[in-house]
Amino acid sequence: MSESPAGIRQRGPKKKNPTGAGSPGLGSNSDDELIKHERNNSVSYVTNQPQTSYKIALVVLTALAFATRFYKIHHPDEVVFDEVHFGKFASYYLERTYFFDVHPPLGKLLFALMGWFVGYDGHFKFENIGESYIANKVPYIAFRAMPAMLGAMTVPVVFLTMWDSGYSLPAAVTAAVLILFDNAHIGQTRLILLDATLIFSMACSLLCYVRFHKLRHVPFSRKWWKWLLLTGVALSCVLSTKYVGVFTFFTIGAAVAIDLWSLLDIQKGLSMQQFGKHFAARALGLIIVPFFFYLFWFQVHFTILYRSGPGDDFMSPEFQETLSDNAMAISSIPVNYYDTVQMRHKDTKAFLHSHAERYPLRYDDGRISSQGQQVTGYPFNDTNNYWVIMPETPFPEGDQTGHPVENGAIIKLHHIMTNTDLMSHDVASPTFPTNQEFTTIDMEKSNGDRHNDTLFEIRFENKKSKQLSSLSGLFKLIHNPSKVAMWTHSKPLPEWAFKQQEINGNKNVPQASNIWFIEDIPSLDPEDPRRNKQPRQVKQMSFIKKYFELQRAMFHHNNALTSSHPYASQPIQWPFLLRGVSFWTKNDTREQIYFLGNPIGWWLSSSLLAVLAGILGADQLSQRRGVDALDVRTRNRLYNSTGFFLLAWAAHYLPFFLMGRQLFLHHYLPAHLASTMVTGGLVEFVFCAEPAQRDVVDDSGAVIIRKHSRSLVAAWIATTVIVISVVASFVFYMPLTYGTPGLTVDQVVARKLLGYELHFAK
């Protein structure tokens, strides 16, 4: 038999290769070409791949994962950090009370399901950090058990992903241990928080896609369809927990796009009809199925929450009318001309207000004002908020009652306390030079040559409404001559306006923050027939309209989370673990929970990301010079597997640099999970390189690729060092992760490694 050794080789000038075999990078056809070669030439492998050791490791790692997540899960028996939000939402679900949150419903529904399992009625509202669960009889251990279980299951999912990707046992153990003994993952997944669901679903998405990709040579088989659809379901669960799940969609979507691009190659032998089937199958499994599964959770959300609650104010009157016991709809009263009303801004809840003081002649930036009477936004009930709704042309004496204010009506607003009319004109507002000033003028000018400047159009948000009503009737007040909308914002004016809100004319009329409503009608007589209410019927609204309205509100308020927080951090700080978050403290026992990752594990993973980038760059440069330092299979794994995990890290990390909202360390956890798999992959690449292979041709002409057993000694030494270091670091920071025991001053100071803002350091 003849033998041909393989190894590092010097290449001559490249020849045209129509198959593209051996080309590096994501989407490389090298593995496909090898398999094709093996099939065509009756290739067989002589290998020794024991599975028992993997199975034993899987059992041990899973047991340790449950132990670390459930250890002292009863402590503390008080509300911790964001448990004030997600515990409260579970209570609202159990009471069927409508609430609003910027996150999709799946994670919160799981908490509610756990509460329902144990017979909890939702009586406790998780109002403040530090409130006692024991005193309020809350089954908090059951609530915490759900994320702890998902957090524990994430560890074997990571291990299985590495195993299914073909990595050695040391590599799989390394990746799993970095999650298993990570203080951040443990701390975040043993409390009533959403991240356990998010991270578990993200890990399942990667595992399912890896298993689907392994079946690419048996397309449309039963298992191929199973893992394709399971990938879609897992992706849907990520997105149904938090909208950052779109980063996981991008990760899988990029890999699928590269896969489809490869299939489009004519050398693959697929007709356009066959390629179309591949495209349609992936669109069905990874777009259509996940989307409908995602919509399903919103349908569950709307079905459960049928009672009026604290989330009503975020929704339109039309939406609120679908909720039983809605106070706004019940108390709504039709508004007529000549009613005295208090008008309120929907977003800031400020009343339209005016007083005798005037705008200063000159603003701080040198601009000149009209020195007209100030019109401001005021947060409290006051007689200076009273305005009379007047018609454009006064009704005759004796016929001024009973005329409803309708959509599109042209009105005037008369300020009672100063006997002036509201107006706007072509003068810049105090703080927005592009917006118009709002002021008032006396009655003589209002009824004279400035009459047109005092006219405003009432434009309803709900086009189906025929007349204006208090509380439930949302509208925009459009200045008739200039077509600007009355608007306010939360930034206060200077002392000359008593720190009240600015009212001005916004040229962007469609903007959602231009909306106002009538708070009440102080002039309404107690005997007025409008006070007589008919029994109210709960109205219906289509699911699609509800869904899109809620989506708009969720995105708007999520983007508005820009206020500062004492423990907020920047994305550049996360990989290096420069800052944590204080979750809970107890002065009497000097106990505290400080959210922080495992420093050794995080620094190692972050460093090896840079190492991988360097390896890929060096490989590209060496190939440009005709040197193949890697064999085909090693390069294929480095690019297509470890590179896939690098893509997952980048997709879950880099977009945060573009966000303007509040950000915290826990936003890095999905990216950190991907970085641990990169670390595992590099442990194999560096310490367990592919052995030399010999293509042996027997007497029958069959090719036998003898893969000699790899020496795992160096890899196991590296893994052992990593595990010992990570476990030691984990144990050192355990008191901050579990909140017990309390530490002395010296012990706290010893853990302020990078100036972490720990309590009880004095």
Coordinates of all heavy atoms in Angstrom, one line a residue, residues 6-9 22-26 28 30-31 34 165-167 612 615-616 619 623 628-643 681-693 707 710:
A6 N 0.5 14.0 5.2 CA 0.0 15.3 5.2 C 0.6 16.2 6.2 O 1.0 15.7 7.3 CB -1.6 15.3 5.3
G7 N 0.6 17.4 6.1 CA 1.2 18.3 7.1 C 1.3 19.7 6.6 O 0.7 20.1 5.6
I8 N 2.1 20.5 7.2 CA 2.4 21.9 6.8 C 3.1 21.9 5.4 O 4.0 21.1 5.2 CB 3.2 22.7 7.8 CG1 2.5 22.8 9.1 CG2 3.6 24.1 7.3 CD1 3.2 23.4 10.2
R9 N 2.6 22.7 4.6 CA 3.2 22.6 3.2 C 3.3 24.0 2.6 O 2.6 25.0 2.9 CB 2.2 21.8 2.3 CG 0.8 22.3 2.3 CD -0.1 21.2 1.9 NE -1.5 21.6 1.8 CZ -2.3 21.7 2.9 NH1 -1.8 21.4 4.1 NH2 -3.5 22.1 2.8
G22 N -11.1 24.0 0.1 CA -10.0 24.5 0.9 C -10.0 26.0 1.1 O -9.1 26.5 1.8
S23 N -10.9 26.7 0.5 CA -10.9 28.1 0.7 C -11.4 28.4 2.1 O -12.3 27.9 2.6 CB -11.9 28.8 -0.3 OG -13.2 28.3 -0.1
P24 N -10.6 29.3 2.9 CA -11.0 29.5 4.2 C -12.1 30.5 4.4 O -12.5 31.2 3.5 CB -9.6 30.1 4.8 CG -9.1 30.8 3.6 CD -9.5 30.0 2.4
G25 N -12.6 30.6 5.6 CA -13.6 31.6 6.0 C -14.9 31.0 6.2 O -15.1 29.8 5.8
L26 N -15.8 31.7 6.7 CA -17.2 31.3 6.9 C -17.8 30.9 5.6 O -17.7 31.6 4.6 CB -18.0 32.3 7.6 CG -17.8 32.5 9.1 CD1 -18.5 33.7 9.6 CD2 -18.2 31.2 9.9
S28 N -16.9 28.2 4.0 CA -15.9 27.4 3.2 C -16.5 26.1 2.8 O -17.3 25.5 3.5 CB -14.7 27.2 4.1 OG -13.9 26.2 3.4
S30 N -14.7 23.5 2.2 CA -13.7 22.5 2.3 C -14.3 21.3 3.0 O -14.0 20.1 2.5 CB -12.6 23.0 3.2 OG -13.1 23.5 4.5
D31 N -15.1 21.4 4.0 CA -15.7 20.2 4.6 C -16.6 19.5 3.7 O -16.6 18.2 3.6 CB -16.4 20.7 5.9 CG -16.7 19.5 6.8 OD1 -15.8 18.6 7.0 OD2 -17.8 19.4 7.4
L34 N -14.6 17.5 1.2 CA -14.0 16.4 1.8 C -15.0 15.2 1.9 O -14.7 14.1 1.5 CB -13.4 16.7 3.2 CG -12.1 17.4 3.3 CD1 -11.8 17.8 4.7 CD2 -11.0 16.5 2.8
S165 N -20.4 20.3 17.9 CA -19.5 21.0 17.0 C -18.2 20.2 16.7 O -17.4 20.6 15.9 CB -19.2 22.4 17.5 OG -20.3 23.1 17.6
G166 N -18.0 19.1 17.4 CA -16.9 18.2 17.1 C -15.6 18.5 17.9 O -14.5 18.0 17.6
Y167 N -15.8 19.3 19.0 CA -14.6 19.6 19.8 C -14.3 18.5 20.8 O -15.1 17.7 21.1 CB -14.9 20.9 20.6 CG -14.9 22.2 19.7 CD1 -16.1 22.7 19.3 CD2 -13.7 22.7 19.3 CE1 -16.1 23.8 18.5 CE2 -13.7 23.9 18.5 CZ -14.9 24.4 18.1 OH -14.9 25.5 17.3
L612 N -7.9 35.0 18.9 CA -8.5 34.4 17.7 C -8.5 35.3 16.5 O -8.2 34.9 15.4 CB -10.0 34.0 18.0 CG -10.8 33.5 16.8 CD1 -10.2 32.2 16.3 CD2 -12.3 33.2 17.2
I615 N -5.0 35.1 15.2 CA -4.8 33.8 14.4 C -5.4 33.9 13.1 O -4.8 33.5 12.0 CB -5.4 32.6 15.2 CG1 -4.6 32.4 16.5 CG2 -5.4 31.4 14.4 CD1 -5.2 31.4 17.5
L616 N -6.7 34.4 13.0 CA -7.3 34.5 11.7 C -6.6 35.4 10.7 O -6.4 35.1 9.5 CB -8.8 34.9 11.9 CG -9.7 34.0 12.7 CD1 -11.1 34.6 12.8 CD2 -9.8 32.6 12.0
D619 N -3.3 33.7 9.6 CA -3.6 32.6 8.6 C -3.9 33.2 7.2 O -3.4 32.7 6.2 CB -4.8 31.8 9.1 CG -5.1 30.7 8.1 OD1 -4.2 29.8 7.9 OD2 -6.3 30.6 7.6
Q623 N -1.5 32.6 4.0 CA -2.0 32.0 2.7 C -1.7 32.9 1.5 O -1.5 32.4 0.4 CB -3.5 31.8 2.9 CG -3.8 30.6 3.7 CD -5.3 30.2 3.6 OE1 -5.7 29.5 2.7 NE2 -6.1 30.8 4.5
D628 N 0.6 27.1 3.7 CA -0.6 26.5 4.4 C -0.1 26.0 5.8 O 0.5 24.9 5.8 CB -1.2 25.4 3.6 CG -2.2 25.9 2.6 OD1 -2.6 27.0 2.7 OD2 -2.5 25.1 1.7
A629 N -0.3 26.8 6.8 CA 0.2 26.4 8.1 C -0.8 25.4 8.8 O -0.5 24.8 9.8 CB 0.4 27.6 9.0
L630 N -2.0 25.4 8.2 CA -3.1 24.5 8.8 C -3.6 23.5 7.8 O -3.7 23.8 6.6 CB -4.3 25.4 9.3 CG -4.0 26.6 10.2 CD1 -5.2 27.4 10.4 CD2 -3.5 26.1 11.6
D631 N -4.0 22.4 8.3 CA -4.6 21.4 7.4 C -6.0 21.8 7.2 O -6.6 22.7 7.9 CB -4.5 20.0 8.0 CG -5.2 19.8 9.3 OD1 -6.5 19.7 9.2 OD2 -4.6 19.9 10.4
V632 N -6.7 21.2 6.2 CA -8.0 21.6 5.8 C -9.0 21.5 6.9 O -9.8 22.5 7.1 CB -8.4 20.8 4.5 CG1 -9.9 21.1 4.2 CG2 -7.5 21.1 3.4
R633 N -9.0 20.4 7.6 CA -10.0 20.2 8.6 C -9.8 21.2 9.8 O -10.8 21.7 10.3 CB -10.0 18.8 9.1 CG -10.6 17.8 8.2 CD -10.6 16.4 8.7 NE -11.2 15.5 7.8 CZ -12.5 15.3 7.6 NH1 -13.3 16.0 8.4 NH2 -13.0 14.5 6.7
T634 N -8.6 21.5 10.2 CA -8.4 22.4 11.3 C -8.8 23.8 10.9 O -9.5 24.5 11.7 CB -6.9 22.4 11.6 OG1 -6.5 21.1 12.1 CG2 -6.6 23.4 12.8
R635 N -8.5 24.2 9.6 CA -8.9 25.5 9.2 C -10.4 25.6 9.1 O -11.0 26.6 9.5 CB -8.3 25.9 7.8 CG -8.7 27.2 7.3 CD -8.1 27.6 6.0 NE -6.7 27.9 6.2 CZ -5.7 27.1 5.7 NH1 -5.9 26.1 5.0 NH2 -4.4 27.5 5.9
N636 N -11.0 24.6 8.6 CA -12.5 24.6 8.5 C -13.2 24.8 9.8 O -14.1 25.5 10.0 CB -12.9 23.2 7.9 CG -14.4 23.2 7.7 OD1 -15.0 24.1 7.0 ND2 -15.1 22.2 8.3
R637 N -12.6 24.1 10.9 CA -13.2 24.2 12.2 C -12.9 25.6 12.8 O -13.8 26.2 13.4 CB -12.7 23.1 13.1 CG -13.2 23.3 14.6 CD -12.8 22.0 15.4 NE -13.5 20.9 14.8 CZ -13.3 19.6 15.2 NH1 -12.4 19.4 16.2 NH2 -13.9 18.6 14.7
L638 N -11.7 26.1 12.5 CA -11.4 27.4 13.1 C -12.3 28.5 12.5 O -12.7 29.3 13.3 CB -9.9 27.7 12.7 CG -9.3 29.0 13.3 CD1 -9.3 29.0 14.8 CD2 -8.0 29.3 12.7
Y639 N -12.5 28.4 11.3 CA -13.3 29.5 10.6 C -14.8 29.2 10.8 O -15.6 30.1 11.2 CB -13.0 29.6 9.1 CG -11.8 30.4 8.9 CD1 -10.5 29.7 8.9 CD2 -11.8 31.7 8.5 CE1 -9.4 30.4 8.6 CE2 -10.6 32.4 8.3 CZ -9.4 31.8 8.3 OH -8.3 32.5 8.0
N640 N -15.3 28.0 10.5 CA -16.7 27.8 10.4 C -17.3 27.4 11.8 O -18.5 27.6 11.9 CB -17.0 26.6 9.5 CG -16.7 27.0 8.0 OD1 -16.3 28.1 7.8 ND2 -16.8 26.0 7.1
S641 N -16.6 27.0 12.8 CA -17.1 26.7 14.1 C -16.7 27.7 15.1 O -17.6 28.5 15.6 CB -16.7 25.3 14.5 OG -17.3 25.0 15.7
T642 N -15.4 27.9 15.4 CA -15.0 28.9 16.3 C -15.3 30.3 15.8 O -15.7 31.2 16.5 CB -13.5 28.8 16.6 OG1 -13.1 27.4 16.9 CG2 -13.0 29.6 17.7
G643 N -15.2 30.4 14.5 CA -15.6 31.7 13.9 C -17.1 32.0 14.0 O -17.5 33.2 14.2
G681 N -12.9 26.5 22.0 CA -12.4 26.2 20.7 C -10.9 26.5 20.6 O -10.1 25.7 19.9
L682 N -10.4 27.6 21.2 CA -9.0 27.9 21.1 C -8.1 27.0 22.0 O -7.0 26.8 21.7 CB -8.8 29.4 21.5 CG -9.2 30.4 20.4 CD1 -8.9 31.8 20.8 CD2 -8.5 30.1 19.1
V683 N -8.7 26.5 23.1 CA -8.0 25.5 23.9 C -7.6 24.3 23.0 O -6.5 23.8 23.1 CB -8.8 25.1 25.1 CG1 -8.3 23.8 25.8 CG2 -8.8 26.2 26.2
E684 N -8.6 23.9 22.2 CA -8.4 22.8 21.3 C -7.4 23.1 20.3 O -6.5 22.4 19.9 CB -9.7 22.3 20.7 CG -9.4 21.2 19.7 CD -10.7 20.5 19.3 OE1 -11.4 20.1 20.2 OE2 -10.9 20.3 18.1
F685 N -7.5 24.3 19.7 CA -6.7 24.7 18.6 C -5.2 24.8 19.0 O -4.3 24.4 18.3 CB -7.1 26.1 18.0 CG -6.3 26.6 16.9 CD1 -6.4 26.2 15.6 CD2 -5.3 27.5 17.2 CE1 -5.6 26.6 14.6 CE2 -4.5 28.0 16.2 CZ -4.6 27.6 14.9
V686 N -5.0 25.4 20.2 CA -3.6 25.6 20.7 C -3.0 24.4 21.2 O -1.8 24.1 21.0 CB -3.6 26.8 21.7 CG1 -2.2 26.9 22.3 CG2 -4.1 28.1 21.0
F687 N -3.8 23.7 22.1 CA -3.2 22.6 22.8 C -3.5 21.2 22.3 O -3.0 20.2 22.8 CB -3.6 22.6 24.3 CG -3.2 23.9 25.0 CD1 -4.1 24.9 25.2 CD2 -1.9 24.0 25.4 CE1 -3.6 26.1 25.8 CE2 -1.5 25.1 26.1 CZ -2.3 26.2 26.3
C688 N -4.4 21.1 21.3 CA -4.8 19.8 20.7 C -5.0 19.9 19.2 O -6.0 19.7 18.7 CB -6.1 19.4 21.4 SG -6.6 17.7 21.1
A689 N -3.9 20.2 18.5 CA -4.0 20.4 17.1 C -4.2 19.0 16.4 O -4.0 18.0 17.0 CB -2.6 21.0 16.6
E690 N -4.8 19.1 15.3 CA -5.1 17.9 14.5 C -3.9 17.1 14.3 O -2.8 17.7 13.9 CB -5.8 18.2 13.2 CG -7.2 18.7 13.3 CD -8.2 17.5 13.5 OE1 -7.8 16.4 13.3 OE2 -9.3 17.8 14.0
P691 N -3.9 15.8 14.5 CA -2.7 15.0 14.2 C -2.5 14.8 12.8 O -3.3 15.0 11.9 CB -3.0 13.6 14.9 CG -4.5 13.6 14.8 CD -5.0 15.0 14.9
A692 N -1.3 14.3 12.4 CA -1.0 14.0 11.0 C -1.9 12.9 10.5 O -2.1 11.9 11.3 CB 0.5 13.7 10.8
Q693 N -2.4 13.0 9.4 CA -3.3 12.0 8.8 C -2.5 11.3 7.6 O -1.8 12.0 6.9 CB -4.6 12.6 8.3 CG -5.4 13.2 9.4 CD -6.7 13.8 8.9 OE1 -7.5 14.2 9.7 NE2 -6.8 13.9 7.6
K707 N -6.9 8.3 11.2 CA -6.8 9.5 12.1 C -6.2 8.9 13.4 O -6.9 8.3 14.2 CB -8.1 10.2 12.4 CG -8.7 10.9 11.2 CD -9.9 11.6 11.5 CE -9.6 12.8 12.4 NZ -10.8 13.6 12.7
R710 N -5.6 11.6 19.0 CA -4.9 12.8 19.4 C -4.4 12.7 20.8 O -5.0 12.2 21.7 CB -5.8 14.0 19.2 CG -6.3 14.2 17.8 CD -7.2 15.4 17.7 NE -8.5 15.1 18.3 CZ -9.5 16.0 18.4 NH1 -9.4 17.2 17.8 NH2 -10.6 15.7 18.9

